[in-house]
Amino acid sequence: MVVVSALLIGVLYVLVNSFVPDRHRRPFNAVMVGGAGAAYLSGGGLGPWEFAITAVITFCAYRGLTSWTWIGIGWLVHTAADVAHHLHGNPIVPFAEHSSLGCAICDPVIALWAFAGGPGWKSMTPAALVRALRLRRSQHAADGGLHQ
């Protein structure tokens, strides 16, 4: 049940965000991944590593203000933090034992959408998302990095 509900939450996040106007969608999602990066600071159970994880995700969020790729990377870093918390730390929601596991399943869904360029709801068919991912990958290869 954790897997299904986590996937549905990820899909719901993507669908709701796909209705955010284009010019606001990327900055809004950069703020969201930055906030997610600080979610464990009040007691995640990994000690000083909490600050390191938060710093890395904050950097990704800052770069995400101008790059969907960095937003996707931020969500994947958060996924790694979720796995660490599920295995060795405290859950993200203190009263929900498997919440970090659920978050680790949900976050890659959001990351894939970000790697596709955070398309709007009109471009949300599976075929359009695959085309967007391929196009962005070829653009990155041509640019030689993580520019956009």
Side-chain angles (χ1 to χ4, degrees):
M1 190 62 182
V2 172
V3 173
V4 173
S5 60
L7 290 172
L8 289 175
I9 290 168
V11 169
L12 182 63
Y13 177 92
V14 166
L15 288 175
V16 168
N17 275 275
S18 71
F19 285 95
V20 173
D22 239 5
R23 68 175 192 240
H24 300 297
R25 193 175 308 131
R26 187 178 57 232
F28 176 76
N29 277 277
V31 170
M32 291 299 289
V33 76
Y40 290 106
L41 276 180
S42 67
L46 297 181
W49 286 105
E50 303 292 350
F51 293 101
I53 293 165
T54 300
V56 170
I57 296 176
T58 299
F59 175 79
C60 292
Y62 173 72
R63 294 296 306 268
L65 290 170
T66 58
S67 169
W68 278 107
T69 300
W70 281 101
I71 293 171
I73 292 169
W75 282 115
L76 292 181
V77 172
H78 194 265
T79 300
D82 292 326
V83 170
H85 284 95
H86 178 68
L87 296 175
H88 304 289
N90 300 326
I92 194 166
V93 179
F95 54 85
E97 180 184 352
H98 298 294
S99 57
S100 291
L101 174 62
C103 199
I105 295 167
C106 172
D107 292 352
V109 174
I110 302 168
L112 283 173
W113 175 70
F115 287 134
W121 66 275
K122 292 180 182 178
S123 304
M124 293 296 288
T125 65
L129 289 173
V130 169
R131 280 194 305 276
L133 283 167
R134 286 182 181 156
L135 176 63
R136 289 186 52 77
R137 187 173 55 195
S138 67
Q139 287 173 341
H140 285 292
D143 289 344
L146 301 171
H147 299 293
Q148 185 74 313

